[in-house]
Amino acid sequence: MKVHHLNCGSMLKIEPTYDGPPPLHAVCHCLLVETDTEGLVLVESGLGRDDVRSPLASLDPDWTEFAAPELDFAETALSQVERLGYAASDVRHIALTHLDVDHSGGLPDFPEARVHLMAAELTAALTEAPSRRYRPAHWAHGPRWETYEEGVGEDWAGFSGVRQLTGLGEEFLIVPLGGHSAGHAAVAVRDRGRWLVHAGDAYFYHREIAAEAPHSHPLMDIIQLDAQVDAELRVANQGRLREIATRTAEFTVLNAHDPWDYLRLAGAGG
C-alpha cells in the first residue's frame, strides 16, 4: 500500500502565528491510497473540475469571495490521479470527513466510486442545500453513497462508534468526530505500522493540537467558529486528537487545510 498526499485546492494565503515559516496558501489536503486489491482510495476530494470550469454554477459566491480558491485544473484530484498514470475509474472508493464544498467538489470527477461518509452528514447536506457549505452540484451525478450510523461500532483510540469502511480492509476506519458539521468524521488509514488520521475540519491549525500551549489561528478560527454546529463537542474532540497526536509512534494526525502540515507530510512521504 502506498499513500500520496495531495493538495486539491489552494485557497487564501495565511501566516503562521510564530516566527520561522513563511505565509502559505491554505490547502485542501487529500490522501490518495494505492491498495493491493481494491484499487485507489481517495480520502477527501477537494475542489473538482466543475468548480474550476464553472465556479459560479458550482460554488457559493460568498464562500468563493472569502476563500479565494486558485481554481487550478492541475490541482484537482483527477488531474493528479491521471499524472500518476491512473484513470478516474481506478478510484473505487472516496472517504469524506464531511460534505462541505471544499471537501466534496471532486466527487463528480469519479462517478463510479463508492462514497463513504456518516449518515447524519448526508442527511444534513440534502436537507440544507443549497447553502454556503453544501452544494448540490457536487452530488447531482448520483454518487454511490455508503453511509454509517452514529453509535454503531467499536471503541478505538479514545473514540467510540468507529467502523471499518465497507468493502475495504481493516486499514481503513471512519471515526465519528462531531462538532464542525452534523456528521463530521475522521478517516484513519493504517500505513507502515502507524495510523494516518485525517481529521478533516475538526481543527484548522497544527498548533491547536500541540502538546504545550495549544492555540488556534486568528484567521482560521473565524471560519472554525462560524461553521461549527456543536462547540462543546468540537472542543472535546480536539482534546482527544491532541492526546493521540502526542503518541507519535502510533499516530500521525492531520487536518484538511493547514499548509505547513501538508508540506511536512508530503515532503516526508507520509
Side-chain angles (χ1 to χ4, degrees):
M1 191 169 81
K2 183 175 183 180
V3 179
H4 303 270
H5 293 264
L6 311 180
N7 171 21
C8 296
S10 296
M11 297 180 287
L12 76 170
K13 186 172 284 189
I14 55 177
E15 297 186 6
T17 60
Y18 55 100
D19 294 334
L24 292 171
H25 289 280
V27 299
C28 292
H29 191 164
C30 304
L31 305 177
L32 181 69
V33 185
E34 300 181 54
T35 73
D36 296 331
T37 59
E38 295 299 327
L40 301 179
V41 179
L42 186 62
V43 179
E44 308 283 58
S45 70
L47 297 173
R49 287 187 171 178
D50 287 346
D51 299 324
V52 176
R53 188 181 297 112
S54 304
L56 294 180
S58 186
L59 305 173
D60 176 73
D62 291 338
W63 179 88
T64 304
E65 181 178 4
F66 179 82
E70 296 285 287
L71 299 176
D72 184 352
F73 273 106
E75 287 190 339
T76 62
L78 179 53
S79 293
Q80 297 186 68
V81 165
E82 291 175 340
R83 286 201 295 275
L84 289 170
Y86 294 104
S89 58
D90 293 317
V91 176
R92 295 170 60 181
H93 299 266
I94 300 175
L96 298 180
T97 63
H98 61 306
L99 276 168
D100 274 4
V101 57
D102 46 346
H103 299 255
S104 61
L107 293 182
D109 295 331
F110 306 99
E112 299 175 33
R114 295 169 70 177
V115 181
H116 304 259
L117 76 168
M118 297 301 294
E121 184 68 14
L122 181 58
T123 297
L126 296 179
T127 301
E128 298 175 20
S131 66
R132 184 173 56 181
R133 75 187 311 166
Y134 297 132
R135 306 305 295 170
H138 290 167
W139 54 81
H141 63 288
R144 299 171 58 197
W145 302 114
E146 192 76 51
T147 60
Y148 302 84
E149 297 290 341
E150 295 275 357
V152 179
E154 306 295 329
D155 292 340
W156 177 85
F159 298 93
S160 60
V162 178
R163 300 272 300 278
Q164 183 176 315
L165 293 183
T166 303
L168 290 169
E170 60 186 10
E171 299 87 2
F172 294 90
L173 303 175
I174 188 165
V175 183
L177 206 65
H180 175 72
S181 66
H184 188 275
V187 178
V189 180
R190 185 75 169 171
D191 176 46
R192 291 175 292 176
R194 73 186 190 284
W195 287 100
L196 280 173
V197 182
H198 195 311
D201 287 355
Y203 68 103
F204 279 67
Y205 184 52
H206 58 277
R207 289 281 173 129
E208 289 183 80
I209 61 167
E212 297 182 7
H215 63 270
S216 59
H217 188 284
L219 176 58
M220 303 299 274
D221 213 28
I222 294 173
I223 305 168
Q224 184 165 227
L225 296 176
D226 179 65
Q228 68 184 2
V229 298
D230 188 327
E232 183 177 357
L233 182 57
R234 178 184 64 81
V235 171
N237 278 324
Q238 277 191 9
R240 295 184 184 96
L241 290 170
R242 189 176 300 112
E243 290 176 11
I244 67 169
T246 61
R247 294 151 63 180
T248 53
E250 300 174 71
F251 301 96
T252 297
V253 181
L254 60 122
N255 70 47
H257 301 303
D258 187 302
W260 300 282
D261 257 3
Y262 168 72
L263 286 180
R264 176 177 62 85
L265 292 168

